Amino acid sequence: MLKLDHLAVACTTLAEGTAWVEDQLGVKLQPGGQHPRYGTHNTLLGLADGLYLEVITKDPDAVPEAGHAWFGLDDFTGPPRLANWICQTDDLAEALATAPAAAGTPRALTRADLEWQITVPDDGSLPYGGAFPTLIQWAEGTRHPADRLPASGCRLRKFAVHHPQADALLGMMALADPRVEVATGPFALKATFETPSGIRTLS
């Protein structure tokens, strides 16, 4: 079964993306780190219920070892926006058995004491433009990033995914997370949060 692991905001510069999320949610983000394989870096926000939010973009000082970025960042343009959702599973092979080919290939990654496997298409694109989640399996014994971040006072209330092929996408994932809604409609991602300043949204 899949459950939401974290949400990703894409941007053209880390400073711009971080400032946008901080302005929208009214809280400060924490420094993240680098991902040498895909030439990216991020900032992070701890959420309640074991979730977190990351702002991620290409690192201008890095050359990706894979030859491309991930999360569709090679083709990203425009202002910061919610671009991807990542779901965790205890059995990545089983989750991939019903996932579309566009989900990509499992990649084993590490950073400091973090260790995980994650699905990344060979060209670094987003499956169905971000409507199908990236899949992740954390290594046994790895402390989840959300547990390392200070409490922000923010909680995800609802995450909505709209796509013309929503029913087909739902049939390719064993999703078991009441916070996530996948519905038919023009493509859109929208996250609603409870924050110290009230209800706020990112899209």
Side-chain angles (χ1 to χ4, degrees):
M1 303 299 289
L2 301 179
K3 68 175 183 177
L4 194 60
D5 187 86
H6 66 281
L7 301 173
V9 168
C11 49
T12 54
T13 72
L14 194 58
E16 180 188 27
T18 300
W20 180 73
V21 171
E22 291 180 343
D23 180 66
Q24 295 296 306
L25 300 185
V27 293
K28 290 291 184 182
L29 274 67
Q30 304 296 314
Q34 289 76 38
H35 314 100
R37 178 171 177 81
Y38 296 108
T40 57
H41 57 171
N42 64 3
T43 53
L44 305 169
L45 179 70
L47 304 171
D49 299 329
L51 300 178
Y52 69 100
L53 173 74
E54 74 170 327
V55 175
I56 186 166
T57 188
K58 296 174 69 174
D59 185 345
D61 298 322
V63 176
E65 296 169 0
H68 58 79
W70 53 355
F71 290 11
L73 290 170
D74 282 330
D75 299 317
F76 182 86
T77 59
R81 59 184 178 271
L82 192 60
N84 192 17
W85 54 306
I86 298 88
C87 284
Q88 63 174 270
T89 175
D90 293 329
D91 191 332
L92 188 55
E94 182 178 1
L96 282 170
T98 58
T105 304
R107 314 289 183 179
L109 300 178
T110 61
R111 189 177 74 192
D113 61 341
L114 291 169
E115 183 178 351
W116 70 99
Q117 291 188 73
I118 190 167
T119 54
V120 181
D122 291 341
D123 60 359
S125 61
L126 284 173
Y128 289 85
F132 190 88
T134 293
L135 306 179
I136 191 170
Q137 181 176 356
W138 296 98
E140 186 175 353
T142 293
R143 186 182 176 203
H144 194 268
D147 298 331
R148 304 164 183 252
L149 294 165
S152 65
C154 296
R155 177 189 302 273
L156 179 70
R157 173 179 281 192
K158 180 181 178 182
F159 175 63
V161 180
H162 289 179
H163 191 274
Q165 298 173 270
D167 290 342
L169 292 174
L170 278 170
M172 294 185 280
M173 64 177 103
L175 183 63
D177 195 318
R179 298 165 294 195
V180 181
E181 171 193 272
V182 181
T184 302
F187 174 71
L189 303 178
K190 182 179 180 181
T192 304
F193 300 89
E194 299 172 11
T195 79
S197 302
I199 302 299
R200 302 288 182 89
T201 62
L202 296 178
S203 59

